Amino acid sequence: MKLATFNINGIKARIKALGDWLDEAQPDVVVLQEIKSVDEGFPREMFEERGYQVETHGQKSFNGVAILSKLPLEDVTRGLPGDESDEQARWIEATVVGDRTALRICGLYLPNGNPVELEADGTPVAGGKYAYKLAWMARLKTRAEALLAAEEPAVMLGDYNIIPQEEDAANPEKWREDALFRPESRAAWRAVVNLGFTEIIRTRMPAPGHYTFWDYQAGAWNKNDGIRIDHMLMTPQCADLVTDCGIDAGIRGREKPSDHVPVWVDLAL
DNA sequence: ATGTCTCGAATGTCGAGA
């Protein structure tokens, strides 16, 4: 079973590029981020024609996540628990039913967090975007703890908007004060990973220089000025199933690309 | 040194978000 994550930066602008990649890569399950569409406006037909079941959690203009699956999906839930007042569409879960085992999939679009606004004592300004990012990550940790406690195959994958370590950026210095790389962000990331998850790309592709995002600005792709911010965190029971993984970086160089590229894994499901 | 793209509201351009 091939599982992938892809921040598409707008479904309407990505119909051609996404369709081409699906036809070539042939993933069985894909989580999408930044669909930037309400559920009713999502072009589900182009995926259903290709044999995918489509589950969306959209909102107008911004954010929005989805799951495409050629395997049966069960128990679909929308929204990250822990804050009923949070109206941003950034989390969707479903159970993928395989021949041998089931896999809980959590597709996520973690808040960007910029601009970083801090009080004089260094605490994030309440109500600001950086405070929202860190609060969201605290809720993520709570959900992550429950997934681990279940001792079953589960994966949380998507656009984490986190550069975990220096080797995950071509030019770490220019990200030093950014919400994607600041110490508070990276500490919150480690607090989740260190609960006992396998970060599968780090584990299987440990060399530096594997990026998943290149900014549209300043010729970042041509200079390979990238960062690795799209990740997969697996419970031990899920990590045991992995047979291969990769990053489809090449599609960043095509016509009308997203600024992110797909990250994928093969699982003996 | 500079450099981009998407969406939506309001129009034929702009602000917000990333």
Side-chain angles (χ1 to χ4, degrees), chain A residues 4-262:
Chain A
T5 175
F6 192 2
N7 180 323
I8 55 173
N9 189 16
I11 184 60
K12 295 174 189 68
R14 218 63 63 212
I15 285 174
K16 175 70 164 63
L18 177 56
D20 287 350
W21 173 74
L22 287 173
D23 293 340
E24 295 163 14
Q26 290 289 321
D28 299 289
V29 181
V30 186
V31 297
L32 301 175
Q33 300 90 41
E34 284 204 271
I35 65 174
K36 295 186 176 179
S37 167
V38 294
D39 296 335
E40 305 76 49
F42 194 78
R44 42 192 318 125
E45 299 77 15
M46 67 172 277
F47 305 110
E48 290 168 348
E49 287 167 1
R50 288 173 166 87
Y52 292 101
Q53 179 178 339
V54 178
E55 299 290 344
T56 60
H57 181 38
Q59 74 178 79
K60 192 174 173 182
S61 302
F62 306 118
N63 309 319
V65 290
I67 302 179
L68 314 175
S69 180
K70 291 185 175 179
L71 295 167
L73 294 178
E74 295 181 350
D75 301 323
V76 180
T77 64
R78 293 164 174 81
L80 179 62
D83 182 359
E84 293 301 313
S85 69
D86 185 0
E87 295 182 344
Q88 298 191 29
R90 298 180 174 275
W91 182 271
I92 187 169
E93 292 190 24
T95 298
V96 177
V97 184
D99 293 332
R100 291 156 45 179
T101 184
L103 173 66
R104 190 66 175 170
I105 290 188
C106 307
L108 68 100
Y109 176 46
L110 203 148
N112 176 294
N114 286 304
V116 173
E117 296 175 285
L118 301 175
E119 303 286 0
D121 67 357
T123 59
V125 171
K129 295 192 172 185
Y130 197 47
Y132 176 66
K133 177 176 194 154
L134 296 176
W136 202 94
M137 294 185 79
R139 290 160 59 199
L140 170 65
K141 185 183 177 195
T142 299
R143 183 70 191 105
E145 287 167 340
L147 289 170
L148 276 178
E151 299 189 343
E152 291 172 352
V155 55
M156 306 187 296
L157 74 168
D159 177 1
Y160 278 77
N161 269 314
I162 293 282
I163 303 166
Q165 299 174 198
E166 293 202 353
E167 58 260 45
D168 301 314
N171 297 107
E173 289 313 317
K174 78 178 191 187
W175 297 95
R176 196 66 68 184
E177 300 301 320
D178 193 282
L180 278 58
F181 194 52
R182 282 192 58 89
E184 303 90 340
S185 302
R186 295 160 66 193
W189 157 265
R190 290 193 304 272
V192 175
V193 176
N194 291 341
L195 292 170
F197 287 87
T198 295
E199 202 255 86
I200 199 65
I201 298 293
R202 166 89 62 223
T203 301
R204 295 183 66 103
M205 301 167 63
H210 294 299
Y211 309 132
T212 66
F213 171 93
W214 295 259
D215 200 292
Y216 288 122
Q217 298 189 64
W221 168 249
N222 288 326
K223 293 189 287 196
N224 195 26
D225 183 7
I227 52 178
R228 195 172 70 93
I229 58 176
D230 299 87
H231 308 296
M232 299 188 184
L233 296 187
M234 298 181 167
T235 64
Q237 296 79 10
C238 178
D240 285 344
L241 303 175
V242 174
T243 58
D244 198 6
C245 69
I247 302 171
D248 289 347
I251 71 166
R252 183 63 179 79
R254 294 184 180 177
E255 290 294 311
K256 266 185 84 81
S258 171
D259 40 9
H260 295 250
V261 297

